[in-house]
Amino acid sequence: MTNLAIFVSGSGTNCENIIRYFTQEQPRRDVRIALVLSNKSDAYALVRAQNLNVPTVVMEKRQFLDGESVLKVMKEYEIDFIVLAGFLLMIPDFLLRAYPRRIVNIHPSLLPKYGGKGMWGHHVHEAVCEAKEKESGITIHWVSEVCDGGEIIAQFKTPLSPEDTPDDIADKVHVLEMKNFPKVIEEVIQTL
């Protein structure tokens, strides 16, 4: 059994999609969504998780950066693997050491383009639009000590048109996220 934790900071559409994938669409007895952790008490992802009967924990930044607190929660829920789904804090070194090649992230661009500090959500789509890119997409990657700099696991692309607004790009990227992120997580877990 692989116990999964999903770390979130926002509305949680990816979080809910992952939970539904592993509990309803592709039910797996060997993968369990054991915890949703957020650094924001008002993250709607927590409501989504609770509605799907997944335990939640709120750990504000100061607490999250305290190795003892985070590792205690990970041990309590017997977490084997961590998925970042719109989690906006950098993962501290102690957590990277505790979960080597067991933390994945999704980024809403084709890394290495439009990654790094400050490049999340709408900021990414605005930059892609401003640069008049012909395509965008998602990157699923291992988490490292470099923001959006971990080894790439998979990328999925979508074509863009000159008329696309940042909102249009966000919608196209969101379709890729919903379709591909849970499948890639499943594939990665199968290789553990």
Side-chain angles (χ1 to χ4, degrees), residues 108-115 119 123-137 157-166 168-169 172-173:
S109 77
L110 299 170
L111 292 174
K113 288 184 171 184
Y114 310 106
M119 280 289 139
H123 303 288
V124 174
H125 307 310
E126 288 170 354
V128 168
C129 187
E130 193 173 300
K132 297 180 181 10
E133 293 285 354
K134 290 182 172 41
E135 64 182 6
S136 190
K157 299 176 182 179
T158 185
L160 302 178
S161 74
E163 295 80 31
D164 282 339
T165 66
D168 295 330
I169 296 168
K172 289 180 176 185
V173 166

Side-chain angles (χ1 to χ4, degrees), residues 72-174:
K72 181 180 176 188
V73 169
M74 296 298 102
K75 185 175 182 180
E76 178 184 341
Y77 287 90
E78 301 176 346
I79 300 303
D80 303 301
F81 195 85
I82 299 170
V83 174
L84 308 185
F87 189 67
L88 299 180
L89 296 180
M90 283 293 292
I91 300 301
D93 288 344
F94 65 81
L95 205 51
L96 292 172
R97 285 192 300 274
Y99 290 90
R101 287 184 74 85
R102 288 182 178 257
I103 307 175
V104 296
N105 183 40
I106 188 168
H107 185 77
S109 77
L110 299 170
L111 292 174
K113 288 184 171 184
Y114 310 106
K117 189 174 172 136
M119 280 289 139
W120 54 272
H122 215 64
H123 303 288
V124 174
H125 307 310
E126 288 170 354
V128 168
C129 187
E130 193 173 300
K132 297 180 181 10
E133 293 285 354
K134 290 182 172 41
E135 64 182 6
S136 190
I138 62 170
T139 303
I140 300 161
H141 64 92
W142 294 108
V143 175
S144 73
E145 64 282 346
V146 177
C147 183
D148 297 325
E151 180 188 343
I152 293 172
I153 299 167
Q155 288 186 316
F156 300 91
K157 299 176 182 179
T158 185
L160 302 178
S161 74
E163 295 80 31
D164 282 339
T165 66
D167 287 340
D168 295 330
I169 296 168
D171 290 344
K172 289 180 176 185
V173 166
H174 190 68

